[in-house]
């Protein structure tokens, strides 16, 4: 195995990250909204998808490759966009970009990243996708999209599920503000985690570098900062404008309602990441694997479907495949890896998933990720569709 077997699963990395990170940084990753029931539901719903193994087959060679929007990736796994990455672990975004490029998996950089988008595009030229939080001001939006284009990003992911900055109580209690300010609570928590504090001193205080130039109000809490910059609900005319400006693959992230998928198709969107933001926006939202299961063929035939929110094992990715996803993404898993092991945590997470995807396919009796389909669902009717 090409990873540190003291931490063989994402859950092991999470436990170590909790110890190594200051509480405000761990809470920032871990927060869901309200009672955090949606976050738990995402996990539970994956457990509820049962697959029937098929034996009596040669599974010595396994093909994990996927083709997304005309580009081949080595695994059906990608890194979801996570804002403020370098606050969680200094240098995390650059390390993730390098690890994704090496592993040939998509890395989605957040609008609210703390590394300039131009730098990330250079580190991950073949695999970098850009996630757009749509700015309220159309001129700022146009400017941002043209920077993303110039930098060479391969796909644009428009996130639509934050019509307003979320009220996450853990974040509020910790008093996180941007630019990052050293409140006594944050100083105290940092000093009691010297590895993190030392790295942060070396890297400098994190800030939202991609949007700092457009900022008018300094010193806002996270939820208020997001509300102040982004559009309060994305009207379809704006989505059409984005389609006109961006001629590469256009992906929408965060939809869960049938009519929204239909509208996205009508606007010329190419793909969708079925997501509920990892349970961070609406505690009542359905688990994403349940939404995926419900999408009818008029959606799945016309959009490249992908999923995130609660993906923690290779088997979750295989479950998603059986329900129609071409690839699955995770946000927190990668940051548990960083929190646990520093920058080498990115490779550890990729290798854990690679191992679990490969063994999972062998166990299921499927020689390629592409081959896996709804016929493997335990509740599929017999004889299996092929
Ligand atoms: C700390 C944190 C920050 C996030 N920031 C963003 C962001 O900037 N843009 C975005 O589209 N989604 C953001 N998300 C949502 C992720 O892209 C993704 O949908 C979610 O993390 C997937 O769930 P998982 O963490 O359970 O794998 C964030 C999630 C977390 C945990």
């Amino acid at each position: 195995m090409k990873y540190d077997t003291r931490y063989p699963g994402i859950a092991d990395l999470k436990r170590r990250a909790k110890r190594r990170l200051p509480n405000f940084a761990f809470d920032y990753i871990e927060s869901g909204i309200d009672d955090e029931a949606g976050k738990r539901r995402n996990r539970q719903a994956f457990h509820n998808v049962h697959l029937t193994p098929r034996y009596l087959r040669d599974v010595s060679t396994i093909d994990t490759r996927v083709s997304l929007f005309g580009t081949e990736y080595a695994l059906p796994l990608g890194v979801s966009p996570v804002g403020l990455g370098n606050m969680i672990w200094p240098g995390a975004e650059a390390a993730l970009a390098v690890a994704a490029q090496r592993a040939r998996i998509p890395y989605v950089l957040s609008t609210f990243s703390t590394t300039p988008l131009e730098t990330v595009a250079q580190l991950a030229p073949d695999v970098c996708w850009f996630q757009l939080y749509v700015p309220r001001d159309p001129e700022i939006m146009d400017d941002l999209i043209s920077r993303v284009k110039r930098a060479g990003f391969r796909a644009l992911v428009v996130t639509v599920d934050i019509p307003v900055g979320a009220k996450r109580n853990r974040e509020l209690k910790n008093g996180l503000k941007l630019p990052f300010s050293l409140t006594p609570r944050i100083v105290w928590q940092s000093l009691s985690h010297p590895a993190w504090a030392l790295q942060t001193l070396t890297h400098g205080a994190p800030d939202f570098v991609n949007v700092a130039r457009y900022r008018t109000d300094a010193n806002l809490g996270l939820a208020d900062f997001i509300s102040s910059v982004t559009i309060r609900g994305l009207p379809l005319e704006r989505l059409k404008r984005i389609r006109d400006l961006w001629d590469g693959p256009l992906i929408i992230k965060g939809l869960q309602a049938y009519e929204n998928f239909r509208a996205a198709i009508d606007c010329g969107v190419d793909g969708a990441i079925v997501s509920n933001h990892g349970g961070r926006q609406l505690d009542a939202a359905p688990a994403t694997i349940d939404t995926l299961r419900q999408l009818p063929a008029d959606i799945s035939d016309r959009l490249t479907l992908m999923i995130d929110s609660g993906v923690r094992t290779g088997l979750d990715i295989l479950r998603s495949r059986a329900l129609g996803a071409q690839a699955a993404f995770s946000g927190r898993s990668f940051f548990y890896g960083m929190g646990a092991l520093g920058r080498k945590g990115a490779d550890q997470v990729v290798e854990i998933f690679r191992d679990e995807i490969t063994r999972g396919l062998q166990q299921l009796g499927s020689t390629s990720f592409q081959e896996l389909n709804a016929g493997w669902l335990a509740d599929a009717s017999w004889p299996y569709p092929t």
Side-chain angles (χ1 to χ4, degrees):
M1 280 168 212
K2 292 197 197 130
Y3 51 89
D4 184 340
T5 51
R6 286 175 301 169
Y7 312 103
I10 302 302
D12 302 300
L13 293 170
K14 174 176 165 178
R15 267 189 294 278
R16 184 165 155 89
K18 187 168 175 17
R19 285 201 307 275
R20 290 224 320 162
L21 291 177
N23 296 356
F24 66 84
F26 185 76
D27 276 351
Y28 170 63
I29 315 180
E30 203 45 23
S31 287
I33 194 161
D34 297 343
D35 289 337
E36 306 192 345
K39 189 181 81 169
R40 289 190 293 278
R41 192 158 51 245
N42 283 332
R43 282 300 305 136
Q44 187 53 48
F46 274 110
H47 289 298
N48 293 343
V49 179
H50 304 150
L51 303 175
T52 304
R54 292 168 173 178
Y55 299 118
L56 312 178
R57 254 195 115 173
D58 176 6
V59 290
S60 46
T61 311
I62 294 292
D63 184 356
T64 59
R65 288 170 304 168
V66 282
S67 170
L68 300 171
F69 314 107
T71 300
E72 189 179 286
Y73 296 93
L75 291 172
L77 163 74
V79 185
S80 296
V82 167
L84 261 181
N86 293 353
M87 183 198 73
I88 303 167
W89 191 265
E93 287 156 354
L96 275 172
V98 170
Q101 173 73 21
R102 195 181 307 128
R104 295 273 154 170
I105 61 167
Y107 173 45
V108 192
L109 184 73
S110 166
T111 298
F112 291 151
S113 72
T114 36
T115 309
L117 64 92
E118 290 80 4
T119 307
V120 169
Q122 280 174 8
L123 294 173
D126 300 310
V127 298
C128 62
W129 298 7
F130 187 81
Q131 175 267 326
L132 182 71
Y133 275 141
V134 179
R136 188 169 314 161
D137 180 337
E139 282 179 24
I140 294 181
M141 181 183 91
D142 293 7
D143 185 49
L144 194 52
I145 293 178
S146 63
R147 284 169 59 198
V148 170
K149 232 191 230 180
R150 270 200 309 277
F153 280 83
R154 305 187 73 93
L156 187 67
V157 178
V158 179
T159 298
V160 295
D161 60 3
I162 61 153
V164 62
K167 169 183 168 281
R168 294 185 204 113
N169 296 345
R170 297 202 215 190
E171 285 171 10
L172 284 173
K173 281 189 273 189
N174 286 326
L176 281 183
K177 283 200 169 33
L178 265 289
F180 194 60
S181 48
L182 292 175
T183 62
R185 186 182 185 124
I186 286 179
V187 170
W188 170 248
Q189 290 182 13
S190 306
L191 290 177
S192 47
H193 294 82
W196 181 94
L198 196 67
Q199 290 289 323
T200 296
L201 277 178
T202 319
H203 273 80
D207 194 7
F208 291 136
V209 287
N210 294 324
V211 292
R213 65 177 80 174
Y214 314 120
R215 177 160 52 206
T216 47
D217 269 339
N219 210 28
L220 291 175
L222 280 189
D224 290 337
F225 172 77
I226 288 171
S227 296
S228 73
V229 179
T230 56
I231 199 159
R232 300 248 162 117
L234 180 69
L236 284 177
E237 309 80 70
R238 263 306 183 100
L239 186 57
K240 286 184 191 139
R241 174 154 182 78
I242 296 171
R243 177 68 287 181
D244 290 343
L245 291 172
W246 179 261
D247 46 14
L250 181 63
I251 299 159
I252 197 154
K253 172 170 180 280
L255 295 185
Q256 292 208 277
Y258 171 78
E259 72 270 20
N260 283 172
F261 285 99
R262 293 280 337 170
I265 291 169
D266 293 343
C267 286
V269 165
D270 304 295
I273 302 180
V274 180
S275 171
N276 58 27
H277 223 99
R280 291 163 74 81
Q281 291 297 122
L282 176 71
D283 213 26
T288 51
I289 193 77
D290 289 338
T291 301
L292 187 68
R293 187 195 277 272
Q294 284 174 335
L295 285 179
D298 64 331
I299 307 290
S300 53
D301 289 350
R302 296 178 63 194
L303 283 179
T304 297
L305 291 176
M306 297 159 283
I307 188 172
D308 79 10
S309 300
V311 172
R312 296 290 177 273
T313 66
L315 186 55
D316 295 335
I317 301 179
L318 304 183
R319 289 166 156 140
S320 305
R321 173 72 195 143
L323 289 167
Q326 305 287 326
F329 290 70
S330 182
R332 292 188 183 92
S333 304
F334 287 95
F335 283 87
Y336 296 148
M338 299 285 194
L341 301 175
R343 275 163 253 155
K344 64 180 192 290
D347 296 320
Q348 171 92 0
V349 173
V350 173
E351 293 312 321
I352 288 174
F353 274 111
R354 189 197 305 280
D355 192 21
E356 292 177 354
I357 291 166
T358 309
R359 286 172 200 271
L361 286 169
Q362 287 169 312
Q363 192 67 43
L364 286 168
S366 174
T367 52
S368 76
F369 181 75
Q370 285 307 323
E371 182 196 20
L372 196 66
N373 63 21
W376 265 266
L377 292 171
D379 50 12
S381 52
W382 293 4
Y384 300 118
T386 50

